[in-house]
Amino acid sequence: MMDEPAFSLSEGGRLQSALTKFGLSGGARGRGMLIGMLLVIGWLPLVILSAAAGTAVGGVDHPLFSDLGTWARFLVVVPIMIMAEPVADRILTIVIGLFRRAGLIREADRPAFEAAVVRAQRLATSDTVEVVLLLTALAIPHLLVASLPQLGSEPAWFGTLVEGRTDISAAGHWYAWVSLPLVQFLELRWLWRIVCWWSLVWRVSKLDLAWVAAHPDGAGGLGFLAWSPRAFRTVFFGFSALAAATVSNRIQYGGESLLDARGPIVAFIVCECMLLLAPQFFFVGGLVKARYSALAGYGLTGIAMTRAFDRHWTAPPPASGAKLLDSGQSSAMIDYTGVYGQVKAMRPVAISLREVAGILLPVAAPFAPLLLYQYSLKEILQSVVQLVR
């Protein structure tokens, strides 16, 4: 069998070509150099400018080194956004390859499937889209005040309010015009890649798929699609880490409480899970239809088999037990009952609750340390012990 082409949502476009040309892409070494370059551009000037102003470690109520949001952006989000690319491509390549080999795609729909795959890759690395994303990243900090660190009456490394007027420091200007847009561009690129993946899965769901209702995966042969959220799981961990750091800053310096942030935290986690899991539901209609169609067919066959079995073994004179044990008919009936049970247990979505839990955990985990603002570690441990007693 010929090697299948690799699927990638990150390889392609002029930006990626330029990074490859300068050795800033490809292997772990190139990606590590790219992360270092981004830190030099986005993080190091903040340290230098804050140190020059005496606001890096102290000198103000909110120094740079205590700003968890900034730390999270450059020491968590940036490395994750870069290093997650080959991991995501490997997982999605496997998923696309299984679509090709599992027999779900009928021969008549092969050209449409391959066209959808090419289209998704082309859109994900579109030069036009990346320019739009870059301009959006540059505009967001100046259009949405919520994107910037919260300014208060107390002096901070990025500026303060003086008689109602915003006084931004040199480090704050660099943060708003360079550092923050750089990170937001990486985030927006991943969100766009997820949209492109959605588009591909949606187009595949509209094909006339050859479902296998009795497949052991319990999803008509589509169980491998449940692996696809793992391609983006690390990226969403980074999103959650950044959101948790932002909430921490607001609690520590903005006067908010964890209870105030409870609603936004839950909404954020729900939105992330929806982005990760929504493609799993594109096939609900096809899976439900395949299940009921198979149940009807297997049910009719089961009736015929059962009646023939009864006539053969219970009609006068009744057969001996020894003869029944030596026959293969009883074993066939048991096997058929097992197949029918497998069809009856078929899920309307490819992903199982266990796999959903495996996605929810890394998305929600970065918010767990915030509990220490509301409860002591002793209280948290006591509550956990009571739950498992």
Side-chain angles (χ1 to χ4, degrees), residues 182-235:
L182 187 152
V183 179
Q184 288 179 332
F185 172 68
L186 296 177
E187 294 172 338
L188 289 172
R189 273 212 310 176
W190 271 108
L191 290 176
W192 173 246
R193 289 166 180 169
I194 292 168
V195 169
C196 293
W197 176 249
W198 274 37
S199 173
L200 171 57
V201 178
W202 175 259
R203 289 174 181 275
V204 174
S205 72
K206 296 306 174 184
L207 301 177
D208 182 21
L209 300 178
W211 300 110
V212 184
H215 197 285
D217 67 6
L222 191 67
F224 59 84
L225 185 65
W227 304 345
S228 61
R230 303 178 189 178
F232 307 106
R233 185 167 55 184
T234 306
V235 174

Side-chain angles (χ1 to χ4, degrees), residues 4-11 26-29 31 80 82-101 121 190 193 197 224 227-234:
E4 295 174 347
F7 178 83
S8 176
L9 294 176
S10 57
E11 296 295 329
R29 181 174 180 273
R31 294 182 184 277
I80 282 177
I82 302 300
M83 289 300 185
E85 291 179 348
V87 176
D89 287 346
R90 274 198 303 271
I91 294 173
L92 296 182
T93 294
I94 293 173
V95 172
I96 294 299
L98 287 172
F99 265 117
R100 292 188 175 108
R101 300 195 302 272
Q121 294 182 102
W190 271 108
R193 289 166 180 169
W197 176 249
F224 59 84
W227 304 345
S228 61
R230 303 178 189 178
F232 307 106
R233 185 167 55 184
T234 306

Side-chain angles (χ1 to χ4, degrees), residues 253-269:
Y253 299 108
E256 295 184 14
S257 67
L258 182 59
L259 293 179
D260 295 331
R262 180 176 52 187
I265 289 173
V266 172
F268 189 86
I269 292 174

